Amino acid sequence: MYKNVNPLVLTNARIIDPANNVDEAGAVIVQDGTILAAGAEALNQGAPDGAKTVDCHGAVVAPGLIDMGVSVGEPGAEHRETLESASRAAAVGGVTTILTSPNTDPVIDDPALVDFMLRRARDTAIVNVHPMAALTKGLAGKDMSEIGLLKEAGAIAFSNDRLPITNSSVLVRLLTYARDFDALVVHQAQDKDLAGSGVMNAGLRASWLGLGGIPREAEFVAIERDMRLVAMAKGKYHARLISCPQSAEAIQKAKNDGLNVTAGISINHLTLNENDIGPYRTFHKMSPPLRTEDDRQAMVKALADGTIDIIMSDHNPQDVETKRHPFAEAEYGALGLETMLGAGMRLVLNEDISLSKLLATMTCNPADRLGLPAGRLSKGAPADLIVFDPQKPWIVEKDKIRSRSKNTPFEDETLTGRVLTTIVAGGILDHDAI
Amino acid sequence: MSKKTTHRSSAFPHRHLLGIEGLQPPHINYLLDLADEAVEVSRQVEKQKAVLRGRTQINLFFEASTRTQSSFELAGKRLGADVMNMSVSTSSVKKGETLIDTAATLNAMRPDLLVVRHHAAGAVHLLARKVGCAVVNAGDGPHEHPTQALLDALTIRRHKGTLGGLTVAICGDIRHSRVARSNIILLSNMGARVRVIAPSTLLPSGIHSMGVEVFTDMREGLKGCDIVMMLRLQRERMSGAFVPSVREYFRYHGLDSEKLSYAKPDALVMHPGPMNRGVEISAEVADGPQSLIREQVEMGVAIRMAVLEALAQNLPDNH
């Protein structure tokens, strides 16, 4: 599957490297799996001996994407997704590094399971895989997991997945304990009682559809609480996914106060709104729910002004058994790995944000938060790259989805911007063979 | 009341021993000197002194503690007192009597010395205000355990000659530990440099203002230490509430020979007991040549003899 070309020179490219503030015509030289040089002056010393040159014909060359939110189904739900199938989906979507969610069966809350994930990924995945471990044992929100041992085993961050930790005392102790290991706490804030039995955004749409609503307050009351707890524990916190402007305000205030806080959002919440649910489309049932168009626009603004740091796919493969139900009974979640960049291009084409900014939120921003050397074209960084045509339109066809599940919210839609080539650690992945 | 005051010895001018707080270094040294003598007495075949002859000592334990209770019992008996043990299971507390009622009842029995252990911080202080006899705090909740700190000091002084200038690391569950609080006060007052080493979840708030150096990394904290004091981790705190598991706690905060090697080569290891081997301390270290853990038990009897004797000197000749 990999074509190993060493050294490799990508010429005639638009080099976009947000970490180094680069957006210019130039070349990238890859040697022994790392970046040797990138930019307009990369070839000033000439190409290395024996290098193979690939002409990019003006396409964008950028760092491969880093996705902080991927459910893989393995172990426990391999019929929905495996590390192997998720990594193929990632590769065609330009995602060269995925962070796996601990919401598997069994839950990744034991060092031996982190080891299992790393070994399975090494043997079956074609992109880089970093497992996140559960923040609490069994994701039950009660007892803290072995943050030290899990981190030593290779857990890159600690998350309770989509399950909020309602007990403030538990969360503050987790933040406090994690601090000793410089571990990142990734939390999906939600007040369970306020969310109640809601299944979509509370408001007029939900009322007409006869569905229970989840008010914005269920999120931002919890985010505001979390910010107070982060201040109390002096912890390192990443809001997994925020969906309404009041949450963004709370994050911005915390940042202004000097707290070690970042925020993420899913590509869905930046490009879709509750109207897309239409006649009970369960592929658009998400947690937190898709909000109104006003909320979506506010979130795009929060992304543009830097309040929101990281875009993730929130890739959550679900199959017919979990999605073909009445809306209220269907599972939450949508695919995202293959469409994250194409969907994100909508924001660029709409001139909401620059391409460089979009790429920053999918490359160097997550890398910096996680302490990864990837996500940039600096000399010595891993040669995880994408060659990408931002103008190329394509249709999201169900049959061509690499994921084992097909629950994409963009089915049959046209996205503009296509990844042509994905390079992981210097190895070229041929999309036709994936 | 004023008559009693005139009885007080200037060497140890206290009616009760409720905590280390309030004891001046000369008072502490006085107790340690007395305890050194008590060690000699205890090592003779004839272990009896008569300083408490005719006195009644009641050990009132609202919280079970075989070790401390028997240590106080032996200490009293070696000084010639009549010693009675009352534990919560046999007392009327279970029948709903309040602490004050218990105190009044006991007071009517006219004890001279009352040794009290209670699960609630401040309970011993409350009791001391309600009885006419001398009260010794044998541990009140997470507040103070003065005789433990004194016996630790005695043990250290007998090995190192002095407390001043030593670097002492107190490791483990500082947050819930009365031993840690009493030791921090005593050691600081005596001129030792005190460090605390614990996961952040087991540090009490305000620890940075307690006059100690704070570490969360054990190897870093142990560097150059003369004394390593381990604390017991209660079972209910091991499984996720404060630390995630025993194996993780032992890995990062359990004292094994590898971590101990960061302290001075002649560093001494202490533990107030009872130990959880494989939780806060490895068996190898607990039983190793640097361990003073057994000796601490012997010093415990001596220091309690010293405390009882010092307080008895301040008792009125008659009630």
Side-chain angles (χ1 to χ4, degrees):
Chain A
M1 196 161 300
Y2 286 102
K3 232 182 322 172
N4 273 311
V5 181
N6 191 26
L8 169 69
V9 180
L10 302 170
T11 60
N12 194 17
R14 177 183 167 194
I15 309 295
I16 302 184
D17 180 16
N20 294 305
N21 244 326
V22 169
D23 185 349
E24 63 196 16
V28 177
I29 308 173
V30 172
Q31 192 163 29
D32 300 331
T34 58
I35 308 280
L36 194 64
E41 286 152 28
L43 284 171
N44 279 6
Q45 321 278 323
D49 291 343
K52 184 190 163 167
T53 300
V54 174
D55 188 333
C56 296
H57 304 292
V60 169
V61 171
L65 311 182
I66 298 170
D67 189 349
M68 277 188 76
V70 178
S71 296
V72 287
E74 183 175 1
E78 288 84 353
H79 59 293
R80 280 184 222 152
E81 197 80 291
T82 61
L83 280 162
E84 192 257 340
S85 63
S87 76
R88 285 164 181 268
V92 292
V95 176
T96 53
T97 298
I98 59 176
L99 267 66
T100 57
S101 172
N103 64 337
T104 48
D105 182 13
V107 166
I108 308 301
D109 62 1
D110 189 290
L113 293 167
V114 173
D115 192 57
F116 166 82
M117 292 295 281
L118 290 169
R119 284 164 191 270
R120 282 296 286 171
R122 181 197 63 195
D123 295 343
T124 65
I126 58 173
V127 301
N128 305 300
V129 174
H130 294 285
M132 287 194 282
L135 202 45
T136 57
K137 290 172 189 167
L139 297 174
K142 280 190 201 139
D143 297 323
M144 63 170 80
S145 60
E146 294 169 310
I147 288 173
L149 297 175
L150 289 162
K151 194 176 179 199
E152 270 192 47
I156 192 166
F158 294 83
S159 160
N160 225 49
D161 194 55
R162 295 165 185 84
L163 302 169
I165 293 169
T166 48
N167 186 324
S168 302
S169 168
V170 169
L171 185 57
V172 82
R173 278 193 204 136
L174 276 165
L175 286 161
T176 303
Y177 190 78
R179 198 180 72 205
D180 291 355
F181 297 94
D182 193 31
L184 178 65
V185 171
V186 179
H187 188 231
Q188 181 66 57
Q190 189 183 62
D191 184 310
K192 272 190 197 162
D193 299 315
L194 279 174
S197 56
V199 293
M200 70 171 288
N201 184 43
L204 187 61
R205 282 292 305 163
S207 297
W208 278 124
L209 287 170
L211 293 171
I214 300 172
R216 290 173 194 80
E217 284 78 1
E219 178 179 298
F220 70 76
V221 166
I223 285 279
E224 285 169 0
R225 174 202 72 158
D226 284 11
M227 295 306 101
R228 301 285 178 182
L229 300 183
V230 171
M232 184 179 167
K234 300 174 190 70
K236 186 171 168 183
Y237 178 100
H238 176 69
R240 186 177 170 278
L241 195 178
I242 59 171
S243 69
C244 60
Q246 295 89 340
S247 298
E249 276 167 34
I251 296 282
Q252 189 53 56
K253 182 181 177 300
K255 286 183 173 181
N256 292 343
D257 292 346
L259 302 187
N260 191 347
V261 164
T262 48
I265 190 164
S266 87
I267 192 66
N268 303 317
H269 290 81
L270 289 168
T271 56
L272 302 169
N273 64 41
E274 61 175 2
N275 295 324
D276 291 303
I277 291 171
Y280 305 99
R281 287 192 196 103
T282 59
F283 288 6
H284 291 72
K285 181 177 176 182
M286 298 179 196
S287 174
L290 294 172
R291 303 276 182 200
T292 64
E293 176 60 12
D294 284 349
D295 290 313
R296 188 195 69 82
Q297 287 181 14
M299 298 325 272
V300 173
K301 268 208 191 78
L303 183 77
D305 71 22
T307 303
I308 297 174
D309 306 86
I310 293 165
I311 300 177
M312 61 167 177
S313 71
D314 198 19
H315 183 81
N316 187 358
Q318 295 293 338
D319 57 19
V320 178
E321 291 100 83
T322 53
K323 278 293 191 186
R324 199 175 290 163
H325 288 289
F327 193 90
E329 291 159 28
E331 262 302 334
Y332 291 98
L335 297 186
L337 277 167
E338 293 170 63
T339 49
M340 177 162 73
L341 186 53
M345 280 304 295
R346 289 183 171 178
L347 306 178
V348 176
L349 296 173
N350 206 33
E351 294 182 346
D352 292 324
I353 58 169
S354 69
L355 179 54
S356 180
K357 175 80 189 182
L358 177 74
L359 289 170
T361 63
M362 299 179 182
T363 59
C364 54
N365 288 3
D368 289 346
R369 192 53 168 153
L370 298 162
L372 291 172
R376 70 206 74 229
L377 302 181
S378 309
K379 186 175 190 297
D384 299 337
L385 299 166
I386 53 172
V387 182
F388 163 69
D389 181 347
Q391 264 91 45
K392 185 172 179 179
W394 59 290
I395 296 168
V396 182
E397 292 170 89
K398 195 173 164 186
D399 297 345
K400 293 190 179 160
I401 289 172
R402 264 54 164 205
S403 176
R404 282 201 180 176
S405 298
K406 308 297 172 195
N407 55 314
T408 173
F410 297 102
E411 189 176 340
D412 295 333
E413 288 199 33
T414 302
L415 299 179
T416 305
R418 186 98 219 234
V419 178
L420 306 173
T421 308
T422 306
I423 298 171
V424 176
I428 301 173
L429 288 164
D430 179 359
H431 285 202
D432 294 333
I434 295 172
Chain B
M1 290 297 269
S2 61
K3 212 179 167 193
K4 283 179 186 169
T5 330
T6 57
H7 278 275
R8 287 191 199 170
S9 141
S10 59
F12 191 77
H14 300 277
R15 187 178 158 212
H16 307 296
L17 179 67
L18 300 180
I20 297 297
E21 198 184 2
L23 294 189
Q24 301 303 311
H27 308 157
I28 291 166
N29 276 324
Y30 173 74
L31 290 175
L32 299 183
D33 293 344
L34 263 183
D36 271 331
E37 291 171 27
V39 172
E40 297 315 310
V41 172
S42 293
R43 286 179 181 176
Q44 294 163 11
V45 176
E46 169 61 54
K47 295 182 176 61
Q48 290 265 340
K49 272 178 93 178
V51 295
L52 293 187
R53 183 180 297 152
R55 299 291 191 184
T56 300
Q57 173 189 336
I58 298 180
N59 296 335
L60 179 60
F61 278 62
F62 293 92
E63 196 181 69
S65 166
T66 320
R67 177 182 302 248
T68 307
Q69 184 171 323
S70 45
S71 182
F72 270 108
E73 183 177 352
L74 261 186
K77 284 177 172 168
R78 284 184 186 167
L79 295 176
D82 292 321
V83 184
M84 186 185 87
N85 289 318
M86 269 187 74
S87 63
V88 68
S89 56
T90 55
S91 79
S92 40
V93 172
K94 281 217 166 147
K95 298 171 190 161
E97 192 176 75
T98 66
L99 185 63
I100 302 296
D101 289 337
T102 307
T105 308
L106 283 174
N107 205 36
M109 296 177 193
R110 298 195 169 271
D112 302 285
L113 293 150
L114 191 57
V115 178
V116 186
R117 153 105 24 130
H118 199 280
H119 53 81
V124 182
H125 286 69
L126 177 62
L127 220 141
R129 286 199 294 271
K130 304 291 175 189
V131 295
C133 62
V135 174
V136 180
N137 183 356
D140 62 326
H143 174 231
E144 277 229 47
H145 191 357
T147 56
Q148 180 68 46
L150 287 163
L151 79 86
D152 290 340
L154 177 65
T155 314
I156 297 169
R157 199 180 77 166
R158 287 172 66 94
H159 280 267
K160 300 286 187 187
T162 176
L163 296 168
L166 296 178
T167 302
V168 182
I170 307 175
C171 313
D173 190 358
I174 313 289
R175 184 188 183 118
H176 303 100
S177 174
R178 52 187 168 228
V179 177
R181 280 166 182 72
S182 290
N183 263 314
I184 288 170
I185 303 168
L186 187 152
L187 292 164
S188 305
N189 282 353
M190 299 303 281
R193 287 179 58 191
V194 181
R195 297 178 180 178
V196 297
I197 310 173
S200 293
T201 42
L202 292 179
L203 290 168
S205 70
I207 185 71
H208 293 276
S209 309
M210 284 188 184
V212 297
E213 287 179 86
V214 181
F215 295 85
T216 54
D217 182 285
M218 201 164 185
R219 291 177 185 85
E220 212 178 294
L222 287 181
K223 269 179 205 155
C225 281
D226 298 283
I227 305 288
V228 184
M229 281 187 182
M230 300 309 300
L231 298 173
R232 179 180 168 77
L233 184 67
Q234 299 290 342
R235 217 152 260 292
E236 64 268 24
R237 302 193 176 112
M238 294 176 194
S239 58
F242 290 88
V243 293
S245 67
V246 167
R247 65 178 178 182
E248 174 144 330
Y249 188 73
F250 185 69
R251 171 69 159 267
Y252 300 106
H253 291 277
L255 186 67
D256 54 17
S257 45
E258 190 269 331
K259 294 197 198 83
L260 181 56
S261 71
Y262 284 79
K264 283 188 184 166
D266 63 346
L268 298 170
V269 176
M270 304 173 76
H271 191 298
M275 282 181 282
N276 292 305
R277 291 167 190 263
V279 179
E280 68 262 359
I281 192 164
S282 74
E284 188 192 8
V285 170
D287 304 328
Q290 290 169 274
S291 169
L292 295 179
I293 297 169
R294 297 275 164 272
E295 192 176 327
Q296 282 174 273
V297 179
E298 183 188 2
M299 294 307 122
V301 178
I303 206 72
R304 281 154 192 144
M305 287 168 74
V307 166
L308 294 171
E309 183 171 345
L311 291 175
Q313 287 165 5
N314 298 336
L315 286 171
D317 290 334
N318 49 56
H319 291 286

